[in-house]
Amino acid sequence: TGSGRKFIGKVIGADLIIDEITAHARAAFELNNDVDTIIEIGGQDAKFTTLKNGMVTFSVMNSVCAAGTGSFIEEQAHMLGVTLDEYSSRAEHKMAPMASDRCTVFMERDINYYLNVGYSVDEVLASVLHSVRENYLTKVATEGLIGKNICFQGATAKNQALVAAFEQSLNKPIFVSQFCHLTGALGSALLTLEEKFESTAFKGLSLCSKKITVLSEVCNLCRNNCKIKKVDIGGQILAFGFLCGRDYETQRYVVQDTGTFSLIDSRKKCFQIDQKNVPGFKKTLGIPTALYLSEDKLFWKHFFHSLGIKTIICSKDVGSVNRGKRIADSEFCAPLLSFYGHVSYLSTRADLLFLPVLLDSNFIRSGDEAKQYCYFSQFASSLTSISCDSDVRSRSLMPEIGPKSFLNKIELYKVLKSHYEVTYWNISRAYEAAKEFIAECEHKLKKVYQREVENQNDIGVVFLGRPYTILDRTMNKRIPDIFASLEIKAFFQDMLTYDESDVQEVKSLLKEIPWNYATKIIEVATVVAKKRGLYAVYITSFKCGPDSFTAQYFKKIMELYNKPYLILQLDDHGSNVGHTTRIEAAIRSFRNHYTANEQSIITGISLLDDTDTLTSIRDKTLLLPSWDDLIGKMHEAILIRERIDAIMVPLTQKAVKEGPRNNSGQCLPVNLMFQSFVNYIKEHHLDASQVSVWIFQARVACNIAMYPSMLKSLFENHGQGLEKVSVYIGQLSFSDISINASINVYFSYMFGGMLKKMGCKIRPYEVEKGMTDQVIEKSLQLFYRAFLNDRDKVEVVKEVTDLFLGIQTIKMERPKIAILGDLYARDNEIMNQDLIKSIENDGGEVIVTPYNEYIRIIEDSLIRRWFKRGNYKDILTAKTVGKYCLVLENSVFQYFNQVLQEKKPNYNLDVKKILEKFNIKENHSGESFDNLLKIFHLIERYPDISLFVLANPAFCSAGMVTEAMIKEIEKVIEIPIVSLMYDGTGKFQNNKLSPYLYSLNAQ
């Protein structure tokens, strides 16, 4: 019944070939007619299935990871010298430490750690089972769908301690049959019996005595390059694996025509360009057809064709992902790797390369800002232009394309006029013609959908996701073809017609989502959830940050409307093994739902309407996250002064260990903040309904924009009363609190940064070890009381600097090491494993950038972007507060500088010149942009910097983009950069710096 069932069925002459989900469901219903939930954990995979009256209504399988499966339990038992027969009895009634549930690597790390610190083997055995349970409940099952009558199947169900672990967590009894390890076979037998076959094709049990050799070969008759499995049974060749539908004897490509609507082919018919009579300039132009250009390629082909420019695209699979892996200097998602591969391929075939930079899309809803492309997409052209062959940069045409046609035409004219004899008016006409062409094609496409739906008597599916993943046969693992072969009509999200009134229930959520594709996914998911006969299939890519957020809300919408769904995650490997099983099971659950005519009519879904206001938080306890303990405590004092019961919640090692279990691909800080809040609320017995958590919101393309809604979702998923915790969305400047708070918070950034900076300046050279840290702690208390009591800040600064000047030091030289990166990883010593002390212990002196300096470095770029977006209120506030703060900043700098002994910083960077070195646009944003400016500011200020350290949390998109630029940055600045990625596993990352520091000190 597994992924090889069709091949094996052909070999043995099976009368009925059944997928494992259907087989297990049939057996469960036979064993217990009341079953509504199946937990199934096998040797290699795990499945979660819900039933109603014996029919599958929903099913999901785990990803390719082995964590949470029987094989992992068996491996750990073997490692610990315990047989499977004795495992359960030894693990029962044991207090178990909490191990990671995310991955076998992390689980094994924790297990080894617990053995080393003295836990018994039996306690570790129990810990393994708890990890498997948590992995299943967080990564496979949907706890909200777990019913009252649960059946546990698979051989792992024979482990009574594992069953007990599930019962403990779910607080529900679980039924385990004595045949739990045979339910797949039992279900297959029952279903075959019910078919009442009059004859059989079964080749007999004698087949098992014959030697059957399975051979593999690759079919080269077309670009599918199918991997074929074949056997020779008594001279008869049986083969399986042809995507086109041919048999082994037919040595030619066969067009597989099931008579079912084909999504990909129908789109090709709608989007056809007449390419006759191309005048033809000599220079050819290569257009990558990955990422956003996959969707826009026909627009640009039409545009350049109208201008007489010959274009070259990748019309076949050129192994783009594997090409990209060899070029990219970071572990990106498959679509971005494919973009790299396309650019590399075209660089040897085209004279010029068209690599437009897309930041904002033309997807705008009333009263909202333009939705953005994801962070990777925004930087894709810049990264590939500097990472591929050496001459790609000089041959790359990189106009900045956005929602405004007039500006786009100007940009296109700027980049084309040097290579082609074109005028602005030529470009304008060609641009408008391309727009008209695409509008006509989209109209045709929507008519196709209407026609097919009108004639539909069966279920249909709508693919949700990114067009470059779903509509490209080199990327989609032929999933649309699998649906077509099963005679299911499949449509893409852009084929549906709807308006804003159809998605009113998710309006508040849509305003929070910064990304264009994610917005469309949520909108269409809402439409499909309400439409009878249509079912959603969400196709996402492994390592896609935006999808890790969006999928949470997609599932919530489907569950609220009681609609089964399917999520398929594609990775960068070639196989689509397992997808067919999931698809067949999903279709069965869709049909069961459709036949039962079950549809929940729900109005007014609110996924983010209950955020707190400034008035409401005054009656609650407001918890603040800590990305920097010094600044966080000052923020606490400032808010208390504003009559808000604020508490800074520090990050703990416990939160770092437990937080990642809530992670499904999001950047790690949001999970660590959440876990810190949960632990604090529980440990201090706070009333969750009287607690609000503070989080800022940034309109940038990285994942930070989704932190507020993600936190709320995590609290709701956690339950246990914590779903009552509310979220307050504030400003980093505290301008939403008051002008006075805004001024004070600016100084908190300055004072906290200066305390850290003076500490880094003095601590490596202190005579009495620990004295600097004592002074920092005492200084923090002085600043805390100053903000709390509104004491004169200048007097406190004098007092603090006197304390630092009183520390006795030894004069000596150390190499200067500057730290950059994500603010949370850079400034939180728990998150970064005490990075500063690690560098100092290895003989370095750390250079940090206080937040007030950071603000000054990026201020002009930030205001320019605000102006572009029409954020005039933010500009006015920043300018007003900034001028006042600058006067006060100048008045205290002289005192800090008595300790630092530095020249006054110069913030007049030639930003444009810096960005041009890396093909970055001035309208780019995010930490990758900021890091470049900080690097050049620090080099100008500290010419003797010997090393840069880039500190980032796991899954940080900005960190990965910066990491991909490291080689190019090092070429320009001639200073090494070391990238450290903190993933919450506890593995010490900072020792990667030791060889560098050893070498620098030796020099």
Side-chain angles (χ1 to χ4, degrees):
T1 59
S3 58
R5 62 186 177 279
K6 294 182 180 179
F7 178 51
I8 299 302
K10 202 171 183 180
V11 171
I12 69 172
D15 298 304
L16 191 63
I17 299 174
I18 309 158
D19 68 84
E20 55 196 305
I21 294 170
T22 303
H24 278 275
R26 179 64 188 87
F29 185 67
E30 185 73 17
L31 296 167
N32 180 359
N33 289 165
D34 295 324
V35 66
D36 54 25
T37 307
I38 299 174
I39 294 173
E40 200 251 299
I41 301 179
Q44 300 296 328
D45 64 21
K47 291 177 283 294
F48 171 72
T49 306
T50 61
L51 302 88
K52 189 166 186 178
N53 299 324
M55 295 188 298
V56 173
T57 57
F58 176 76
S59 183
V60 65
M61 296 174 69
N62 69 325
S63 63
V64 293
C65 180
T69 64
S71 61
F72 177 73
I73 296 174
E74 187 174 12
E75 287 168 9
Q76 301 315 307
H78 177 74
M79 184 189 75
L80 296 168
V82 178
T83 66
L84 291 178
D85 288 338
E86 61 179 323
Y87 194 126
S88 179
S89 60
R90 292 187 62 170
E92 288 174 12
H93 310 298
K94 296 296 185 296
M95 294 291 289
M98 181 62 70
S100 172
D101 61 2
R102 285 192 294 158
C103 170
T104 55
V105 175
F106 301 147
M107 289 179 179
E108 288 172 353
R109 172 216 67 192
D110 288 352
I111 289 165
N112 291 327
Y113 170 76
Y114 289 136
L115 288 171
N116 290 334
V117 298
Y119 283 96
S120 69
V121 169
D122 291 359
E123 289 171 324
V124 172
L125 288 171
S127 179
V128 170
L129 299 184
H130 283 296
S131 293
V132 170
R133 177 200 65 193
E134 289 302 306
N135 181 278
Y136 182 89
L137 293 177
T138 57
K139 305 294 192 299
V140 183
T142 302
E143 284 201 56
L145 298 180
I146 296 176
K148 296 179 180 179
N149 297 290
I150 306 168
C151 180
F152 195 162
Q153 296 182 165
T156 53
K158 285 186 170 291
N159 189 319
Q160 294 179 356
L162 178 60
V163 177
F166 272 96
E167 289 181 325
Q168 179 192 55
S169 178
L170 298 173
N171 197 26
K172 296 175 182 178
I174 294 177
F175 168 74
V176 179
S177 165
Q178 60 179 318
F179 306 115
C180 61
H181 59 304
L182 300 172
T183 44
L186 174 60
S188 298
L190 290 167
L191 288 165
T192 305
L193 185 65
E194 289 165 357
E195 289 292 326
K196 298 181 180 179
F197 291 105
E198 294 182 359
S199 61
T200 181
F202 180 46
K203 295 177 181 177
L205 293 174
S206 61
L207 196 65
C208 67
S209 63
K210 297 179 181 178
K211 182 179 180 181
I212 302 175
T213 303
V214 181
L215 301 174
S216 299
E217 65 179 59
V218 176
C219 172
N220 296 311
L221 294 178
C222 74
R223 67 181 186 181
N224 287 343
N225 298 127
C226 299
K227 295 176 182 177
I228 308 304
K229 297 287 186 184
K230 66 175 184 176
V231 297
D232 185 341
I233 303 177
Q236 181 187 7
I237 300 294
L238 295 174
F240 184 79
F242 298 105
L243 290 175
C244 75
R246 78 175 179 93
D247 54 37
Y248 190 72
E249 290 73 26
T250 305
Q251 292 299 305
R252 60 182 174 79
Y253 176 77
V254 175
V255 177
Q256 188 177 32
D257 186 6
T258 63
T260 305
F261 170 76
S262 170
L263 172 65
I264 307 298
D265 292 341
S266 67
R267 294 182 75 91
K268 283 182 179 178
K269 291 176 184 176
C270 291
F271 291 84
Q272 289 184 336
I273 300 176
D274 180 9
Q275 290 196 330
K276 295 177 183 177
N277 303 319
V278 181
F281 287 100
K282 286 185 178 180
K283 287 184 180 178
T284 56
L285 188 63
I287 304 178
T289 53
L291 284 179
Y292 49 83
L293 283 174
S294 175
E295 182 181 25
D296 296 340
K297 65 184 176 186
L298 292 176
F299 175 91
W300 293 116
K301 278 191 72 173
H302 192 285
F303 170 77
F304 288 117
H305 175 267
S306 299
L307 291 173
I309 298 172
K310 184 180 178 181
T311 57
I312 300 174
I313 64 170
C314 299
S315 57
K316 60 181 181 179
D317 186 2
V318 295
S320 57
V321 174
N322 288 329
R323 278 175 178 265
K325 284 181 181 178
R326 294 192 293 268
I327 301 166
D329 291 310
S330 195
E331 295 184 7
F332 291 125
C333 60
L336 181 49
L337 293 175
S338 178
F339 193 88
Y340 271 91
H342 278 234
V343 173
S344 173
Y345 175 84
L346 291 168
S347 66
T348 61
R349 290 162 176 82
D351 298 311
L352 299 171
L353 294 167
F354 185 62
L355 304 178
V357 175
L358 274 68
L359 306 177
D360 293 340
S361 75
N362 57 7
F363 185 67
I364 305 173
R365 289 297 185 206
S366 59
D368 199 4
E369 296 179 356
K371 296 298 182 181
Q372 301 179 61
Y373 287 89
C374 76
Y375 203 81
F376 287 167
S377 292
Q378 290 191 346
F379 283 88
S381 294
S382 303
L383 292 175
T384 51
S385 69
I386 64 174
S387 300
C388 292
D389 298 334
S390 57
D391 68 336
V392 168
R393 178 191 295 221
S394 62
R395 294 191 290 127
S396 296
L397 307 185
M398 297 176 58
E400 185 180 334
I401 302 299
K404 296 181 179 179
S405 296
F406 173 68
L407 296 178
N408 293 343
K409 294 170 187 176
I410 294 174
E411 283 281 310
L412 289 164
Y413 177 64
K414 285 180 186 176
V415 300
L416 291 174
K417 66 179 182 179
S418 302
H419 304 280
Y420 303 100
E421 293 180 11
V422 294
T423 67
Y424 171 82
W425 300 111
N426 295 147
I427 288 171
S428 180
R429 283 191 292 270
Y431 191 91
E432 292 302 322
K435 280 176 63 178
E436 187 177 331
F437 165 72
I438 293 298
E440 290 174 0
C441 294
E442 290 174 345
H443 180 69
K444 290 179 191 175
L445 202 59
K446 292 184 186 299
K447 288 201 124 188
V448 168
Y449 168 76
Q450 292 167 1
R451 182 191 70 220
E452 293 297 328
V453 169
E454 284 174 5
N455 299 327
Q456 185 170 321
N457 297 315
D458 193 9
I459 62 168
V461 302
V462 177
F463 292 132
L464 307 180
R466 285 153 177 74
Y468 49 77
T469 300
I470 298 172
L471 302 177
D472 184 344
R473 278 195 166 117
T474 66
M475 297 294 293
N476 65 21
K477 307 295 173 70
R478 296 194 167 267
I479 286 170
D481 296 334
I482 295 174
F483 277 92
S485 70
L486 297 170
E487 301 184 2
I488 298 295
K489 290 182 180 180
F491 310 100
F492 186 56
Q493 61 195 28
D494 64 351
M495 300 174 75
L496 278 66
T497 302
Y498 61 94
D499 57 37
E500 292 184 50
S501 64
D502 295 317
V503 292
Q504 277 298 308
E505 51 266 67
V506 291
K507 186 177 180 181
S508 58
L509 175 62
L510 296 175
K511 288 184 72 68
E512 305 305 318
I513 297 175
W515 308 294
N516 62 323
Y517 289 131
T519 302
K520 292 174 184 175
I521 289 166
I522 294 300
E523 286 190 347
V524 178
T526 307
V527 173
V528 172
K530 295 185 284 187
K531 193 165 182 64
R532 174 167 159 72
L534 275 186
Y535 296 87
V537 176
Y538 191 167
I539 300 179
T540 179
S541 295
F542 183 57
K543 298 178 185 174
C544 178
D547 274 356
S548 68
F549 287 90
T550 311
Q552 306 293 322
Y553 303 109
F554 165 78
K555 288 191 284 188
K556 185 171 289 188
I557 290 166
M558 291 298 142
E559 290 159 14
L560 285 168
Y561 279 94
N562 191 30
K563 204 82 177 276
Y565 60 88
L566 175 64
I567 297 179
L568 296 173
Q569 186 181 78
L570 308 184
D571 55 31
D572 52 9
H573 302 292
S575 173
N576 65 356
V577 172
H579 292 319
T580 303
T581 299
R582 290 171 169 85
I583 289 168
E584 290 177 356
I587 289 172
R588 188 164 283 103
S589 68
F590 296 165
R591 282 205 170 109
N592 289 340
H593 179 271
Y594 181 67
T595 303
N597 198 24
E598 291 187 5
Q599 189 75 21
S600 298
I601 305 300
I602 300 175
T603 57
I605 299 174
S606 172
L607 296 179
L608 199 67
D609 274 343
D610 51 351
T611 52
D612 269 321
T613 63
L614 180 58
T615 302
S616 61
I617 62 169
R618 295 192 187 279
D619 298 322
K620 294 184 177 182
T621 297
L622 182 66
L623 302 184
L624 308 175
S626 172
W627 66 88
D628 181 309
D629 284 354
L630 297 175
I631 293 170
K633 285 303 290 183
M634 295 184 203
H635 286 179
E636 177 185 296
I638 292 166
L639 290 173
I640 292 173
R641 175 74 184 176
E642 296 286 334
R643 300 190 304 281
I644 296 170
D645 180 23
I647 300 172
M648 185 207 75
V649 178
L651 181 65
T652 63
Q653 293 289 359
K654 181 183 179 185
V656 171
K657 187 161 190 59
E658 295 175 347
R661 76 175 64 171
N662 303 297
N663 187 281
S664 55
Q666 301 84 15
C667 45
L668 198 54
V670 70
N671 303 104
L672 302 188
M673 290 177 193
F674 164 73
Q675 195 62 50
S676 299
F677 291 143
V678 168
N679 293 348
Y680 190 90
I681 291 168
K682 289 182 177 180
E683 289 165 7
H684 292 81
H685 308 290
L686 300 182
D687 180 354
S689 65
Q690 295 302 306
V691 171
S692 185
V693 298
W694 182 94
I695 189 67
F696 68 93
Q697 187 174 50
R699 300 300 295 182
V700 293
C702 78
N703 300 334
I704 291 175
M706 292 300 293
Y707 275 21
S709 55
M710 189 64 192
L711 276 174
K712 185 60 183 171
S713 180
L714 287 169
F715 279 115
E716 289 173 352
N717 292 339
H718 186 280
Q720 301 177 26
L722 293 188
E723 66 277 5
K724 297 176 183 176
V725 173
S726 57
V727 174
Y728 177 75
I729 304 173
Q731 299 292 323
L732 281 168
S733 63
F734 280 17
S735 59
D736 53 311
I737 305 296
S738 71
I739 289 293
N740 191 55
S742 190
I743 293 169
N744 278 330
V745 87
Y746 180 85
F747 282 103
S748 73
Y749 290 133
M750 182 185 187
F751 297 160
M754 285 300 183
L755 282 182
K756 186 168 290 187
K757 189 170 186 176
M758 290 189 296
C760 292
K761 180 76 174 180
I762 300 296
R763 186 170 43 242
Y765 312 104
E766 63 186 4
V767 173
E768 185 180 342
K769 294 301 177 186
M771 179 58 71
T772 304
D773 288 340
Q774 291 178 29
V775 168
I776 290 174
E777 181 59 34
K778 188 172 182 179
S779 300
L780 175 60
Q781 293 172 12
L782 289 170
F783 281 129
Y784 188 92
R785 288 195 292 269
F787 285 118
L788 195 63
N789 302 315
D790 203 21
R791 186 183 163 193
D792 182 81
K793 308 297 187 300
V794 176
E795 291 302 316
V796 178
V797 168
K798 290 179 183 178
E799 195 172 340
V800 165
T801 51
D802 285 342
L803 289 173
F804 275 94
L805 291 169
I807 301 172
Q808 190 176 356
T809 58
I810 301 172
K811 286 189 176 181
M812 60 185 296
E813 288 294 322
R814 286 184 173 219
K816 289 185 172 63
I817 316 299
I819 302 177
L820 304 163
D822 173 82
L823 301 181
Y824 196 88
R826 188 195 77 172
D827 294 325
N828 191 297
E829 62 186 31
I830 300 297
M831 178 69 184
N832 65 30
Q833 301 170 336
D834 214 346
L835 176 58
I836 291 175
K837 295 278 182 67
S838 297
I839 293 171
E840 291 173 350
N841 291 340
D842 280 339
E845 177 188 329
V846 174
I847 302 295
V848 294
T849 309
Y851 284 88
N852 63 303
E853 292 183 12
Y854 175 27
I855 292 167
R856 296 292 179 207
I857 293 168
I858 66 169
E859 182 179 24
D860 289 343
S861 299
L862 187 62
I863 287 175
R864 186 180 58 254
R865 288 196 294 270
W866 281 347
F867 185 82
K868 180 192 172 189
R869 292 182 175 275
N871 299 342
Y872 306 120
K873 183 180 177 182
D874 291 335
I875 295 172
L876 182 62
T877 302
K879 288 286 188 182
T880 304
V881 174
K883 283 183 179 180
Y884 179 72
C885 291
L886 187 57
V887 172
L888 292 179
E889 183 179 322
N890 290 334
S891 69
V892 297
F893 177 78
Q894 58 180 313
Y895 302 109
F896 288 126
N897 208 38
Q898 291 174 15
V899 179
L900 298 172
Q901 296 294 305
E902 295 177 351
K903 64 179 182 179
K904 201 166 184 180
N906 172 30
Y907 299 113
N908 296 319
L909 292 172
D910 189 340
V911 174
K912 189 174 182 180
K913 186 176 179 181
I914 292 169
L915 298 178
E916 284 176 347
K917 297 176 188 293
F918 308 98
N919 276 359
I920 302 293
K921 301 289 185 180
E922 289 185 272
N923 286 321
H924 270 111
S925 62
E927 293 242 357
S928 307
F929 178 97
D930 299 346
N931 282 333
L932 286 175
L933 302 190
K934 281 188 277 187
I935 286 171
F936 283 88
H937 168 80
L938 289 171
I939 289 174
E940 181 181 303
R941 194 169 183 192
Y942 308 99
D944 55 346
I945 286 177
S946 301
L947 179 70
F948 282 98
V949 177
L950 182 67
N952 285 300
F955 314 115
C956 175
S957 53
M960 293 171 73
V961 167
T962 307
E963 188 176 58
M965 292 194 289
I966 282 179
K967 283 185 181 178
E968 193 66 21
I969 298 171
E970 287 178 331
K971 282 182 193 176
V972 175
I973 65 175
E974 298 181 338
I975 299 171
I977 303 173
V978 179
S979 177
L980 302 178
M981 194 74 75
Y982 301 97
D983 59 9
T985 62
K987 181 180 178 182
F988 192 63
Q989 300 291 329
N990 301 340
N991 56 13
K992 294 177 183 177
L993 299 173
S994 297
Y996 290 89
L997 285 157
Y998 178 83
S999 175
L1000 290 169
N1001 279 301
Q1003 292 170 25

